[in-house]
Amino acid sequence: MLLVGQPSKRYRGDRWGAVWWYGFLVRQMEAAGPTFIKGKLHSLLHTKRVVERVFERPFEEVFEEFDEMPIGSGAIAQVYRATLRKDLIPPSYHHPRRTRKPIAGTVGPVILQDPPPAAPTASVAIKVLHPRVSKIISRDLSIMRFFATCISVLPGMQWLSLPEEVDVFGHMMHQQLDLRNEADNLLTFEHNFAPRKVPITFPRPLKLWSSADMLIEEFENALPLEQFLRNGGGPYDYQVATLGLNAFLNMLLLDNFVHSDLHPGNIMIKFSKPPTTRILLQNLWNHFFHRPPPDGSPDDFCSPIVPADYSQSDAIVSKLKSLSNSPELWHQELDSLHDSGYIPEIVFIDAGLVTTLNVTNRQNFLDLFRAVAEFDGYRTGQLMIERSRTPELAIDTETFALKMQHLILSVKRRTFSLGQIKIADLLTEVLKNVRQHHVKMEGDFINTVISILLLEGIGRQLDPNMDLFASALPILRQLGGQMATREGMGGISAKDLPGSDLGALLKVWVWMEARSFISSALVNVDELVQRDWLSPNI
């Protein structure tokens, strides 16, 4: 059809057959299922049926308020905003997010005086699966699997192992069909970040009322990061970039539990004001001179927690939304917020997809890490082939190993200017070599690479001088401390780094420490504090 007809000005140089084909293709894509394209809105009636089945009461007796217009709709589900009746909310839902007792070994940039995120309110987001979505996805995957099998028969296409990729993709899709998985993921993220003194938040789920086809979670009234990328963050560019990168590095290096859908639409920003010095001193006085509680609860004798001021958060978000199409007024408002002492808080939403490396893949990652740490690019290339899914299908393996050696040596030569090296460029070069030489990498590895590509791209758009290596330094210190401690105790869990990798980590650590001081002739105090260089947490 692309060749039918003559090029015409009416069709801007295209043939009428080509235009017909484009329209036909679009119509077929729109008719496809959620595996191929974002789903259409489902009816309010379906949502009400799901809610009534879960709560076992009439819809009108569940919510004080319910906005019938969805605030979002995706491939799997759509989301509404509502206010839940207070008698349906368990008391534990309102517990503080941050632990009171300081926990040794927390990692985070020293950007603010530890204002914990606000406790959840009765305002909730309700995510409801589309009707028959499971059957439709199974149908879509059958179509994908059929064509993947046909393509694999062609010469030279076997190394792609497309049927296996369909299975991996299908597992990811089916994982999202049980919304209780997302609830568990959100609780895990909250637990992991509880001891860290950083303004990072995840919506708290209400597991009591969540089911396979409905998730009720805290509603986060915040601005999508894409608005900051479009208009600029002004005085908050550096803080937002640093906070987001630090959160990702903690997920990747310390937690082995990474949010796998970190695009700008799933990263939100809201604002709070840290407590003033007067309030902090008053709280300390009350902490040291108050009377013990009757029940002798130990929590009240731990470090005092002064909540940040969120009273104007909704108003700030609403005003910034109204200014999103006026960049000049947008920047004026951000400057005013900054001068008034407000700080940004990052909210990560839509945590249905996470990446956790199993014992084998984590060991492969650590072996690769050791080879990179020792600047042994040739060995790095060999390991990538040996640990690939189909090492027998890799082509010209010697050239691939030499290419990796060249890439690693180019990094080594720029030891003291790593801030100018874009990790995205390095990883893109690695993926290009992997593709050219048919080196089949594990899906978990590729998911992690894609997350790094996204995060660094976002971070450098906010702060062109962002240095991923320097941001990783405090976390590497903590990681080294954990490894040394556990090695001395005679063993660690499979989830953590094995002690045999301590030497490789120390090489990276010393290397980065040296270049951190040598490469900077003048460094201000804020930078020293933020990078944890004045008092390393070892």
Side-chain angles (χ1 to χ4, degrees):
M1 290 304 298
L2 294 174
L3 300 177
V4 173
Q6 296 296 323
S8 170
K9 290 184 178 179
R10 179 183 176 184
Y11 300 118
R12 298 182 181 180
D14 274 327
R15 306 170 190 266
W16 74 262
V19 174
W20 178 89
W21 166 251
Y22 299 150
F24 176 78
L25 184 62
V26 168
R27 288 192 296 272
Q28 296 310 308
M29 291 174 66
E30 290 176 343
T35 308
F36 296 98
I37 193 169
K38 293 288 187 181
K40 297 180 180 179
L41 293 176
H42 66 243
S43 68
L44 178 63
L45 179 61
H46 171 73
T47 296
K48 288 186 175 182
R49 287 173 178 166
V50 173
V51 170
E52 290 178 344
R53 187 181 73 249
V54 173
F55 282 91
E56 298 181 346
R57 63 176 68 189
F59 184 83
E60 294 74 18
E61 297 180 10
V62 176
F63 305 103
E64 294 181 357
E65 297 179 18
F66 185 89
D67 188 350
E68 296 185 354
M69 178 62 65
I71 59 177
S73 181
I76 302 293
Q78 67 189 41
V79 184
Y80 300 86
R81 181 179 181 178
T83 302
L84 204 61
R85 287 174 59 103
K86 291 184 172 52
D87 61 310
L88 295 176
I89 303 177
S92 60
Y93 180 70
H94 295 295
H95 285 176
R97 299 180 191 274
R98 295 291 190 254
T99 52
R100 289 177 176 268
K101 183 178 292 186
I103 296 179
T106 59
V107 178
V110 185
I111 294 178
L112 60 147
Q113 290 298 318
D114 189 21
T121 65
S123 182
V124 295
I126 303 162
K127 181 181 287 190
V128 180
L129 288 185
H130 294 309
R132 299 180 293 106
V133 66
S134 181
K135 292 183 179 179
I136 296 174
I137 286 179
S138 296
R139 179 205 67 188
D140 292 348
L141 291 172
S142 297
I143 296 172
M144 278 188 175
R145 193 172 289 106
F146 171 77
F147 285 103
T149 303
C150 293
I151 293 174
S152 296
V153 178
L154 300 176
M157 301 301 292
Q158 185 182 2
W159 79 275
L160 289 174
S161 59
L162 292 179
E164 292 180 23
E165 293 307 316
V166 173
D167 292 337
V168 171
F169 182 67
H171 175 73
M172 293 171 60
M173 294 296 292
H174 284 294
Q175 191 178 26
Q176 298 179 81
L177 292 177
D178 188 341
L179 295 178
R180 290 172 296 190
N181 292 329
E182 182 172 352
D184 291 336
N185 293 342
L186 288 170
L187 290 175
T188 300
F189 280 123
E190 181 176 325
H191 171 77
N192 290 343
F193 278 82
R196 294 170 183 153
K197 301 181 180 181
V198 287
I200 301 293
T201 305
F202 298 85
R204 178 175 289 179
L206 246 175
K207 286 205 67 174
L208 176 64
W209 302 116
S210 294
S211 64
D213 53 358
M214 185 179 77
L215 170 66
I216 296 186
E217 64 184 11
E218 172 189 7
F219 176 77
E220 292 285 1
N221 189 18
L223 295 156
L225 181 62
E226 54 195 356
Q227 294 189 9
F228 285 78
L229 297 178
R230 184 174 66 247
N231 296 325
Y236 295 114
D237 276 342
Y238 173 77
Q239 288 189 20
V240 172
T242 303
L243 283 171
L245 178 61
N246 178 270
F248 174 75
L249 291 173
N250 273 282
M251 295 178 198
L252 177 64
L253 297 176
L254 293 185
D255 303 334
N256 189 23
F257 196 80
V258 183
H259 192 306
S260 298
D261 198 13
L262 287 177
H263 60 77
N266 285 343
I267 304 174
M268 314 287 284
I269 308 293
K270 62 181 181 180
F271 294 88
S272 64
K273 181 180 287 188
T276 63
T277 304
R278 181 185 62 81
I279 295 177
L280 285 170
L281 292 175
Q282 181 180 353
N283 186 266
L284 285 171
W285 175 270
N286 293 335
H287 169 69
F288 285 111
F289 296 100
H290 77 303
R291 301 181 106 190
D295 60 356
S297 174
D299 283 347
D300 290 333
F301 291 93
C302 301
S303 298
I305 285 187
V306 183
D309 181 6
Y310 288 86
S311 60
Q312 300 300 313
S313 179
D314 288 347
I316 292 171
V317 169
S318 178
K319 186 170 184 179
L320 285 173
K321 282 182 179 177
S322 68
L323 301 176
S324 60
N325 294 321
S326 304
E328 185 176 349
L329 296 176
W330 166 278
H331 278 274
Q332 290 178 4
E333 180 64 19
L334 289 180
D335 289 336
S336 175
L337 292 173
H338 185 263
D339 294 340
S340 300
Y342 284 92
I343 62 167
E345 181 176 313
I346 293 184
V347 183
F348 293 104
I349 63 172
D350 201 3
L353 285 177
V354 297
T355 297
T356 301
L357 297 179
N358 60 33
V359 175
T360 301
N361 289 341
R362 190 149 175 83
Q363 185 61 52
N364 292 343
F365 171 80
L366 293 172
D367 290 341
L368 188 63
F369 174 82
R370 183 192 293 112
V372 174
E374 295 172 348
F375 296 111
D376 189 349
Y378 188 84
R379 179 58 181 158
T380 300
Q382 288 181 321
L383 283 172
M384 291 178 70
I385 294 172
E386 292 173 6
R387 307 294 171 84
S388 65
R389 287 192 195 175
T390 53
E392 70 280 359
L393 297 179
I395 59 176
D396 202 358
T397 57
E398 182 72 13
T399 302
F400 176 78
L402 291 173
K403 285 182 178 180
M404 292 303 300
Q405 176 73 352
H406 174 74
L407 193 62
I408 296 297
L409 289 178
S410 69
V411 174
K412 185 178 181 180
R413 285 193 297 267
R414 301 178 64 181
T415 296
F416 298 110
S417 59
L418 288 177
Q420 304 304 316
I421 296 178
K422 293 184 178 179
I423 303 300
D425 291 344
L426 293 176
L427 293 176
T428 300
E429 188 68 23
V430 170
L431 293 182
K432 184 177 75 172
N433 293 333
V434 162
R435 184 172 63 253
Q436 290 176 347
H437 294 270
H438 297 185
V439 181
K440 183 68 176 177
M441 305 304 298
E442 288 290 342
D444 289 342
F445 175 81
I446 299 300
N447 283 340
T448 303
V449 168
I450 291 175
S451 296
I452 294 174
L453 295 176
L454 280 172
L455 261 294
E456 193 191 39
I458 292 171
R460 284 192 184 264
Q461 190 170 341
L462 292 169
D463 178 19
N465 297 318
M466 186 188 74
D467 187 344
L468 185 145
F469 289 92
S471 296
L473 186 54
I475 300 179
L476 286 174
R477 287 200 188 105
Q478 172 57 26
L479 205 54
Q482 289 181 357
M483 289 164 61
T485 300
R486 292 184 176 124
E487 188 179 56
M489 295 173 63
I492 60 176
S493 64
K495 185 179 177 181
D496 296 310
L497 294 174
S500 60
D501 290 277
L502 182 58
L505 178 62
L506 287 175
K507 289 184 179 181
V508 177
W509 184 353
V510 173
W511 165 62
M512 293 179 63
E513 294 278 13
R515 79 100 182 178
S516 298
F517 281 102
I518 296 174
S519 63
S520 302
L522 293 174
V523 184
N524 60 46
V525 174
D526 290 338
E527 182 75 5
L528 289 173
V529 172
Q530 196 276 323
R531 300 298 186 199
D532 195 21
W533 286 334
L534 288 178
S535 56
N537 181 20
I538 300 176

